[in-house]
Amino acid sequence: MSINKELIKGCTKTIVLQLLADKSAHGYELLTVLKEKTAGQLEFTEGTLYPLLHQLEQENFVKSSWVKGQGERKRKVYEITSDGRKLLQIKSKELFAFIDTMKNLIASRNSLFS
């Protein structure tokens, strides 16, 4: 079952910050890792990811640098900042509280109809 895109919208910053907390990466790598780590359940388009990375950089939650990759090509690599790690901690707690609340709500609803 695929996950509704509307459910993902409120979590995009958290998702990207979590990926960068694991490892600094360039944009295409982030797209690939997200797809791999979620078995294809979560995918962003470049049109979603790059504006989000620029916004996170403006807000000082990530920083970027140009790194020489294979051959002569340079890639913009993003890494999480200390402010980004703080935001990730806050957003993760909020998300876990929401998940627990939804589980309790659904479990209580299911017990009413059992």
Side-chain angles (χ1 to χ4, degrees):
M1 172 180 16
S2 67
I3 298 172
N4 184 311
K5 290 181 182 182
E6 292 299 314
L7 291 173
I8 298 169
K9 276 186 181 179
C11 303
T12 55
K13 281 186 179 182
T14 308
I15 292 167
V16 170
L17 291 173
Q18 181 58 58
L19 292 173
L20 291 173
D22 294 339
K23 178 183 178 248
S24 299
H26 56 82
Y28 181 75
E29 185 178 9
L30 289 170
L31 294 173
T32 303
V33 170
L34 175 62
K35 187 175 180 180
E36 288 173 1
K37 283 191 170 198
T38 64
Q41 290 295 307
L42 298 180
E43 289 185 67
F44 290 167
T45 63
E46 291 176 4
T48 297
L49 179 64
Y50 288 105
L52 180 57
L53 286 168
H54 294 297
Q55 179 186 3
L56 288 167
E57 189 169 22
Q58 288 176 342
E59 296 170 338
N60 195 37
F61 297 129
V62 302
K63 63 182 179 179
S64 66
S65 58
W66 288 97
V67 176
K68 187 175 177 181
Q70 296 175 339
E72 295 297 316
R73 188 171 183 207
K74 287 187 176 183
R75 294 186 171 186
K76 196 171 195 179
V77 174
Y78 297 89
E79 67 179 279
I80 193 169
T81 64
S82 59
D83 286 345
R85 289 187 188 281
K86 291 174 191 171
L87 179 64
L88 176 58
Q89 187 175 25
I90 291 166
K91 292 291 186 187
S92 295
K93 286 180 183 177
E94 288 175 357
L95 189 53
F96 281 121
F98 176 74
I99 291 167
D100 287 343
T101 301
M102 290 303 297
K103 282 182 179 179
N104 290 336
L105 177 65
I106 292 168
S108 69
R109 181 181 184 277
N110 287 338
S111 66
L112 293 174
F113 296 104
S114 301

